[in-house]
Structure formats: C-alpha cells, structure tokens
Amino acid sequence: MPSTHVASPERPSALRTSTRDDPLLDEPTRELCTAVADGTLAPARLAVIAPGGHGKTAVLGHLARRCESRGRSVAWYGQQDVEGADLVLVDDAHRLDDAALGDLCEKAVDEVTDLVIAARPWPRPAALTTLLSRLRGQVVLRPLDARRVAALLGRDRAELAELVRAQTLGVPGFVVRLAAALAAVGANKGGTADATADGTGLPPAVFTEFRADLDRLSPQTLTLLLAATSGAGLDVDLLAGLLDTDHDGVARTVAAARACGLLTHDGAPVPVVARAVRVLVPEERRLAVSHRLVRIQLDRRGPVLDLVRPLLGSDSSGAELAKAFEAAADEATERDPRLAATLYEAATRAGRATTAVGSRWAEAAARAGELDAALRLADAVIASPDADGRAEAARTAATAFVHKGQLDRARELYRWSGTRLSRLHSALVSVQQGTLADAESVLSERNTDEPPTLATAATATLVRGVVESVTAGPTTALSTLSDAAETLDPVGDTLFLPDTPAAVGALVGMQCGELPLAEALLDHAVNTGGGGRTTRTRHLLLAAWIRMLRGDLDAATHALPSVGTELSTRDWLFAVALRAGLARRTGDPTALRDLWADVREALPRLRIDLFTILPFTELGVAAARIGERDRLAHHLQRARALLAALGDPPLWSATLHWNGLHEAVVSDRPDEAAEHARALGEFADHSDYHRALAEAATCWVDAMGNTVDADRVDSAARALHAAGLCWDAARLAGQAAIRTTDRSAMVSLLESARAMQGTVTTSTAQPTPRSDTDVLSERERQVAELVVAGLTYRQVGDRLFISAKTVEHHVARMRQRLGASSRAELLAELRALVTT
C-alpha cells in the first residue's frame, strides 16, 4: 500500500491545547518529539507510561503535529489504517485486547515505521508487557511547573498559578480542567474568577467537573478513595477489612486508583481530588466509610488519630465514636495539645463522661495555653471522688496557678496532689516564696514508690539549682541548672511545667553577669520547644530582656511582637516591665505613662516572688521616673522581706539594690542611693559581677554629689560593660561626664560613654551618610532627629551623653544656619532634612 499522508483525527481530550508553544510539555519532551519528527531516532520505539491525566495524549498529539509539519504521515492505531504510515501512535494501549497487542508486537519488529505507545501503568496484561519490552525508550512525563501552569491559566488568572499547582500537584489533566472551570466561573461573573473560597481557596463550582470521573469509578475504587480522604493511607490490613478482600485485592484496587491519577505514589489523594470527593460524595456515605475505618482500627488497637479528624464537627455520637475520639486525643496530646483538647471535647459530646477524660483534657488545654479552661476542667475532676486522675488534675491546676502568679494556691494543690513530681514543684514554689526548709526536705526524701522518670529527675535538679543560687555561688547553681535543662531535653516539650531550667538558669545568669550562658540556655529551649507552648513566651521574653541589658534596644523592641498578646499573668508582668525598661532607656516618658495606666490597674492582683524581683524592680525605676514610686512600695517591701527570709542571697538581692539605686538616682535621693550602694558593697566579694555593681554604685553616689573621679568612673563603667551591662556602663560614664566640672574629664568620659554604647540605638531613624550638600554636621543631625521625635533637650542630652545646654547650643546654631524665624519653622526644616 503506497505511503500516504493521514491526518490524525480530533480526539476529545481535556489535554488538547491550541497554544502554539504547548505549555503542557517541558523542553526535554519537546526536544524528543523534534528528534522523532526529524528522523534522528529512526526507527523510534517509545513508550509513554503514566496515570490518567498526566499528559500521554498531549505528547502523542504534539508528536503527530511535529511529524505532519515535516510532511511525514501519521496514523492512530485502531482509528485509521496504519499501513504505510511513517509514524504509528497507540493511545490507551492498556485497553487493547490480546489480538491487537499481538499485532503491535509484530509491527514493533518493523525497522521502518516509528511506533510510540501510550498506556496507563495498570491494568498490565501479559501481552502488553511483552509489547513494551520490545520498545527502546520511555518518555518521562513531568508535573507542570508554575510557569507552565500560569500559561494554561491565562493572563487574567496567572496569579492563581501557585494555588492551582499546589492543588493539582502539576498533573496536566487536572490543571487544564481547573483552568477551564476557573475561566467559566470568571466569565459567569463578568470578570476574573473569585478564588477566595472554601477549603482550597478555589471556587466550589470548579469541583463539579470531577463528578463524571467519580461516577465512572467502580464501587471498590470509590470506597478506597473515600478511605484515602479519611486518613487511611496505605494500611493494607485496614483497607482489606474495609474492602472485604485480601491483600492482593487491595493492591489491585490501589493500582486502579493510581492508574486513574487519583492517588499519589504514597497513597494520598491529589488535593483537588480529595476536595472534589468531599464536595460531591454525599456526607452520609463519607461518614459511613469513616465510621467503619474507625471501628476496624479500634478492634485492631491501632492508631485512630488520622481517621477521626474527618469526623470532627459532625453530629455523630455514640460510645464507639466517643472511644475513638478519646483514643485519638491520647495520641495527639504529646505533639499537638490544642488538637488533643478539641478531641477530648468531641469525646464528651459523643457521650464520654467529662470526669473520665477531664484530667488529661485539662493538661492538654493547659499546654495549649488555655489556663482558665484547664483550671475549670481540673477543678471538676478534683471535686469528683470517683474521677480518674485526681492527683494529676491537681498538679495541672497548681501549675496553672503558678503561671497566673498565685503561688499560695499552687502550693496547696501541689501538696494535695502528693505525687513525687508535685512535691518537687511545691518545693520550687517554696523557694520562690522565701522558704528553703521545705525544698531541702523534699530533696532529701528517698523516693521508692514512683519510678525515677526524666521529668522528676530534671525537676529535682532544677530545685537543687535554685537552692544553690541562694546558698552557694552562681557557678555552682548555673552548672546544676544546665544539667537540669539537659536532663529535661528529651521530654521537655511534652510537659506542662511551672518553670523550666532554661528560664530559671537565664534569670540566674542575668543576675550574675553570665549573659552568654543565659542566652545559650534560652536559645536552645526555644529551638527545641523545651517546656512546650506555655513556656515559649517566657523564653522569648527573657531573651529580649538580655538584649535590653546589653543595650541592643532595637533588637529587644523587635522581639516583643513575637510573644503575642495572650499572656499569662507572669508573662504579662515580664512583658510590661520589659516595655517600661525600653521606654526608660530610650527616654520616652510618654510611653512610660501609657504603660503605667495598665500597671496601676494590675498591681493589686500581682504578687512578688523570687523569680519576679527582676521585673518588679524595673517597674520601680519606671515608677520613680514618672512620680509614682509609692505605688510599688508595698511590693518592693515584700521583696526585701522575702530576701531577708532567705538570708539576703547576693545573687538575688543585688538586683533589688541595683535597680533601687537607679530608682533613687531618678528620684534625686542621694541618701537612699548611698544605702543601696552600701548593700551592694557587702556583696562585692561574691563574684566579679557583684564587684562591678558595687564599684559602679559608689561612682553613682559620688556623681550625685558632683564628685567625679574620672579614672574610677571609667574603670567602673568598663567593668559593667565587660559584665554585659552595656547600656548601664554608657549611662554611668555619660552622666558622670555631665556632672563633672573638669573639662578634660568630661571629654574623656563622653568618649568612653560613646565607645561603650554597644548596640544602643535610638527609636528614630538612623543618621544617613553625610554628603557634600548636607547642611548639618553628624552631631547636629543626631540632635535634630531626636528633637523632631519630640524629646526634650534634657532627654536628647541623656541619649547622646551631652548636657542639655549643649543641645540648646546645637539647636540655636541650626536655627541660625537654616534661617528659621520660629520653632515651628525650625522643626519643619529639620524634619525635611532628617527624613531625606
């Protein structure tokens, strides 16, 4: 039969495209098609094996057009006479009978005609396997990338490319289908499709395109697909029970679903397919499959968490479902306490008694940060004589009260709980409240009734470290606290704790000058999730506090938003004190006054303990700054009494006196400042850090009396700087410079202050590099920025370590140079200059 040109017929397919540079095909596939069309691979013997929708027909069509464009004849097997054709294309070879496959095997021997065969990976009859073995290569079909997806969507919907690719995994058939559906939705709305929608971000209307696909599936395959969207995965035993078949039957059904392109290699449905199933299959049928899966898994005592997720929010109930929700909650509680709490609640709605799950539910809620819900649930369990887990519920409630700052109630509940872990937590609270005897008694107990778990071992070490911070040197305490943190590491993110070794170690480190170690403990805890969600905020706040001590005010300020707004009482106290400390250090009285309104309202509900001395004393300095120091007098008096009960331990007492010194300086009370300096002097031998505080305090008292020994001040400031207190060091040198009458000493101290600022930065814009056209000097620009920001001359001077009078001189010179006739005009000129 003579060779004739045979045009390929139009084949109905979602993969047809009129785009000249076909976006369905990647560059390697187009190059391969070109090689076949040009005869480079003659005779071509290629297979295109891929699930439905992956682009097999598109490849064959593209190859046909390339060959036809070069004058080569093309024939589609089974639709046209293939005799004499230069290229024979076979689509859906998996559907051919043995006779047709045998005929193709004979044609594969022909060394003249090119042969390209496309088939799904299943079914795979023996004759098809024989045929494919005679071919010489395979076309690899790759998912569409975002660029090609955008090309198919068109310019009006190109912004949806990433969304569509995520939903389709780049499967060409699904992309083309969604592109057409989105275009239709957009056309019906007279514009671009609205993709703000449900679940996937795609309009629900686009999923109706999948109805025909689902209707064509066999009952077994549809049930498998429902199981996959219900979290069954590829658990062969579970699926065998659901499908009433053996392992081979499951394998055949999975292969059929994969061949249709509905399932990925790991057995998960393509996201858009999963959503289509949820939209199109009646809810009662989906729930029936989910219930049966849960029942089978409960009988097998297997995990049910993934299987019950689709049932959340349904109206289903009953003892079996309640049991499933409870089992799923127990699975989730370690890694996702919020989900666990939701599942325990679902179990009670399905019929489980609240007191039966209340203890575990309370702990999950507490670990998720829902302290009030945890207290309510725990209280119900404690009050019920027959409830399960009453001791554990009491410990959870006690720990919640620690986070809320109610330590008396916490100790009462810990003691009632009576477990070893509860007694250790009670011992920790005892030290916080100023009582060492209880802690030492608990530490000396011989525990033979309960297993020595990591949690109890870490907590015992933590308590020992806190006791050592009171009775021994900081080095010993920090070593013990570091050991506690390491012991807690493997389980720390699964526990609800009153405090963590990292947090307590950071508090100790900050109060003895060991800022690098404190920072390392906190960084490790944040990175590993030590202490779980409820202590993450505490770790972040303490890390920001360290940055403030070092003078890195911008970093501390930028860290604050990361802690969120839903804070426990204890975290709120640290957060507001940190904000007050930053406002004080940046000379922002307006921010201080705004904060103080909230502090004043909260003070009656706040209680001081050993671990909150730091924020309370910082608030004391802020209160003095705005004339409200009497508001904190009661709390600070309680702090002094607590420390006295502990024997005035230098590590904890030094903070009270150091911030008390600054409170006296701000209030201009030299006698009071001298008392704090004397107290700090008594701690000088405790460590180099305490010696630096004592020497600096003496210099402050001298400066208040206008007596400045420049060398001594410089030495004291450098010692503070070496201890990590960069801002305090710079302030001491700067204030001493302002108060000295010795011109050379003033200049020397100002230079030292500037050198020791560390990373201190202002809250205004940074100075821009000076150009030849600048009308302000570098110093004048700094002054101008702060004046424009609204600071007074004194505040500007404090910030730049110059006197208010010097600031006034700078402003006068700038006004003269700029020709400003009024202050308003000057401010307008300066604002224009410093914002350029």
Side-chain angles (χ1 to χ4, degrees):
M1 180 176 181
S3 175
T4 58
H5 175 77
V6 181
S8 61
E10 286 298 320
R11 295 168 49 81
S13 171
L15 294 179
R16 302 293 291 175
T17 175
S18 59
T19 306
R20 186 176 63 179
D21 186 16
D22 194 338
L24 288 170
L25 307 182
D26 58 18
E27 190 59 34
T29 303
R30 280 197 291 269
E31 290 177 356
L32 180 62
C33 291
T34 300
V36 173
D38 292 342
T40 305
L41 297 180
R45 296 286 184 272
L46 297 175
V48 188
I49 309 299
H54 279 61
K56 301 184 298 298
T57 301
V59 171
L60 297 185
H62 182 84
L63 180 57
R65 290 190 293 275
R66 283 292 177 95
C67 288
E68 290 166 353
S69 69
R70 286 159 172 74
R72 303 189 66 201
S73 60
V74 180
W76 293 79
Y77 187 84
Q79 300 177 42
Q80 299 166 298
D81 184 0
V82 299
E83 290 299 326
D86 296 318
L87 170 65
V88 174
L89 301 175
V90 184
D91 203 3
D92 293 334
H94 56 280
R95 294 180 178 177
L96 298 178
D97 58 25
D98 286 350
L101 293 171
D103 179 46
L104 287 170
C105 281
E106 293 179 5
K107 294 186 181 303
V109 180
D110 179 6
E111 291 295 322
V112 176
T113 305
D114 291 337
L115 180 64
V116 180
I117 298 175
R120 290 185 178 184
W122 189 92
R124 180 65 66 84
L128 178 57
T129 301
T130 301
L131 171 61
L132 294 177
S133 69
R134 297 187 179 183
L135 303 182
R136 299 170 183 168
Q138 181 168 330
V139 180
V140 178
L141 300 182
R142 302 169 181 84
L144 302 183
D145 56 24
R147 180 187 61 80
R148 289 187 286 155
V149 172
L152 284 166
L153 289 172
R155 182 177 301 175
D156 292 340
R157 285 166 293 280
E159 74 277 3
L160 301 178
E162 287 295 346
L163 170 64
V164 170
R165 187 173 186 275
Q167 287 297 311
T168 63
L169 304 183
V171 174
F174 295 150
V175 174
V176 171
R177 186 175 297 183
L178 284 189
L182 287 169
V185 172
N188 291 337
K189 292 186 176 183
T192 302
D194 177 10
T196 60
D198 62 359
T200 60
L202 295 169
V206 305
F207 300 106
T208 59
E209 293 290 322
F210 290 85
R211 187 177 298 281
D213 297 77
L214 298 181
D215 289 344
R216 284 194 295 267
L217 296 178
S218 69
Q220 288 282 88
T221 305
L222 180 58
T223 300
L224 173 71
L225 193 56
L226 289 170
T229 60
S230 298
L234 288 181
D235 186 327
V236 178
D237 289 329
L238 178 61
L239 293 175
L242 175 69
L243 300 174
D244 292 322
T245 186
D246 56 16
H247 287 188
D248 289 340
V250 171
R252 287 192 297 272
T253 306
V254 170
R258 280 181 176 153
C260 293
L262 304 176
L263 296 182
T264 62
H265 180 73
D266 61 1
V270 177
V272 70
V273 173
R275 184 59 185 167
V277 168
R278 288 191 286 269
V279 169
L280 300 175
V281 177
E283 183 180 17
E284 59 272 17
R285 183 166 185 183
R286 290 188 284 108
L287 290 177
V289 171
S290 289
H291 279 274
R292 189 172 179 193
L293 287 168
V294 168
R295 188 179 307 114
I296 294 170
Q297 197 72 333
L298 286 174
D299 291 342
R300 297 171 60 210
R301 299 183 182 277
V304 295
L305 177 57
D306 291 336
L307 299 177
V308 303
R309 286 177 190 267
L311 298 174
L312 282 172
S314 70
D315 295 329
S316 303
S317 61
E320 184 178 81
L321 189 57
K323 181 180 178 182
F325 279 131
E326 181 181 356
D330 290 342
E331 290 177 45
T333 189
E334 183 172 309
R335 296 301 174 194
D336 193 343
R338 189 177 296 279
L339 174 61
T342 300
L343 289 164
Y344 284 125
E345 183 180 7
T348 61
R349 285 202 306 268
R352 190 75 162 120
T354 300
T355 52
V357 298
S359 176
R360 288 168 286 159
W361 185 0
E363 184 175 2
R367 288 181 54 219
E370 302 292 339
L371 298 182
D372 288 340
L375 285 170
R376 182 178 65 254
L377 291 163
D379 191 65
V381 173
I382 295 168
S384 177
D386 299 326
D388 297 330
R390 296 176 76 201
E392 289 74 16
R395 185 172 66 241
T396 296
T399 303
F401 276 121
V402 172
H403 285 265
K404 293 172 76 68
Q406 300 181 38
L407 300 190
D408 289 337
R409 180 64 176 144
R411 284 182 72 183
E412 179 185 5
L413 284 163
Y414 278 138
R415 288 171 177 171
W416 186 87
S417 173
T419 65
R420 171 66 174 167
L421 189 56
S422 294
R423 291 196 299 276
L424 287 167
H425 287 163
S426 177
L428 181 63
V429 173
S430 296
V431 182
Q432 289 180 245
Q433 292 189 304
T435 305
L436 279 181
D438 289 352
E440 291 170 337
S441 175
V442 171
L443 288 175
S444 65
E445 291 177 354
R446 290 181 59 84
N447 178 45
T448 57
D449 299 332
E450 300 179 35
T453 63
L454 287 172
T456 55
T459 305
T461 308
L462 168 60
V463 174
R464 186 174 296 108
V466 176
V467 170
E468 289 171 349
S469 75
V470 174
T471 61
T475 303
T476 302
L478 283 172
S479 176
T480 302
L481 292 169
S482 296
D483 288 345
E486 186 175 354
T487 303
L488 192 65
D489 258 355
V491 294
D493 61 342
T494 66
L495 303 173
F496 180 45
L497 302 169
D499 220 326
T500 66
V504 177
L507 285 172
V508 170
M510 280 191 279
Q511 294 176 100
C512 68
E514 292 291 346
L515 298 188
L517 177 57
E519 206 163 34
L521 286 170
L522 293 172
D523 287 347
H524 182 73
V526 170
N527 291 335
T528 60
R533 175 187 174 90
T534 49
T535 54
R536 176 179 172 80
T537 296
R538 180 159 173 77
H539 294 151
L540 291 173
L541 283 168
L542 292 174
W545 201 293
I546 292 174
R547 296 186 184 102
M548 180 179 72
L549 292 179
R550 282 183 164 154
D552 195 349
L553 306 186
D554 278 350
T557 301
H558 293 153
L560 276 170
S562 67
V563 306
T565 56
E566 297 182 5
L567 305 177
S568 68
T569 303
R570 181 177 65 184
D571 289 340
W572 178 87
L573 173 62
F574 272 86
V576 76
L578 178 59
R579 287 187 170 91
L582 290 168
R584 173 169 74 90
R585 287 164 173 80
T586 55
D588 191 346
T590 301
L592 270 181
R593 291 191 181 91
D594 290 344
L595 284 169
W596 195 254
D598 292 336
V599 174
R600 186 169 52 239
E601 180 184 347
L603 276 175
R605 303 190 301 274
L606 299 175
R607 301 289 181 269
I608 199 163
D609 63 78
L610 191 66
F611 295 169
T612 58
I613 287 176
L614 187 66
F616 267 111
T617 55
E618 183 62 53
L619 288 175
V621 183
R625 192 70 180 265
I626 59 175
E628 292 268 358
R629 69 188 311 233
D630 289 344
R631 296 277 186 181
L632 274 171
H634 172 70
H635 293 82
L636 296 178
Q637 178 59 41
R638 287 178 64 88
R640 286 190 284 273
L642 185 155
L643 291 167
L646 292 172
D648 282 323
L651 190 144
W652 299 97
S653 298
T655 296
L656 179 73
H657 291 294
W658 178 248
N659 282 336
L661 168 77
H662 286 285
E663 185 180 338
V665 170
V666 169
S667 303
D668 197 20
R669 298 190 180 189
D671 292 342
E672 190 175 316
E675 291 179 10
H676 287 297
R678 280 193 294 272
L680 288 168
E682 294 176 3
F683 304 148
D685 293 336
H686 191 65
S687 70
D688 291 341
Y689 173 80
H690 291 85
R691 186 176 299 107
L693 293 185
E695 185 62 20
T698 300
C699 292
W700 266 112
V701 172
D702 290 344
M704 292 180 74
N706 294 321
T707 301
V708 176
D709 182 335
D711 290 339
R712 187 178 186 184
V713 169
D714 184 70
S715 176
R718 292 183 185 282
L720 285 179
H721 192 273
L725 303 183
C726 302
W727 185 88
D728 292 271
R731 180 150 179 89
L732 172 61
Q735 288 297 305
I738 292 172
R739 295 166 190 260
T740 185
T741 58
D742 185 331
R743 175 69 180 175
S744 62
M746 179 187 72
V747 172
S748 174
L749 288 172
L750 283 175
E751 287 301 321
S752 293
R754 294 181 188 115
M756 288 186 287
Q757 282 184 86
T759 53
V760 175
T761 56
T762 69
S763 58
T764 57
Q766 290 297 306
T768 56
R770 187 181 182 192
S771 68
D772 293 338
T773 59
D774 281 344
V775 296
L776 302 181
S777 69
E778 187 66 28
R779 172 60 80 190
E780 286 171 343
R781 179 176 288 277
Q782 293 170 351
V783 170
E785 287 174 345
L786 297 174
V787 169
V788 167
L791 275 65
T792 66
Y793 290 170
R794 180 179 177 181
Q795 291 166 346
V796 174
D798 287 348
R799 188 76 63 83
L800 299 177
F801 306 109
I802 58 179
S803 68
K805 195 68 174 176
T806 302
V807 175
E808 185 178 356
H809 289 325
H810 279 303
V811 172
R813 283 197 298 271
M814 288 187 287
R815 181 172 179 175
Q816 181 180 12
R817 190 178 309 136
L818 295 171
S821 59
S822 65
R823 178 174 175 80
E825 186 178 340
L826 172 63
L827 289 175
E829 291 278 0
L830 294 179
R831 189 173 292 110
L833 285 171
V834 300
T835 56
T836 56

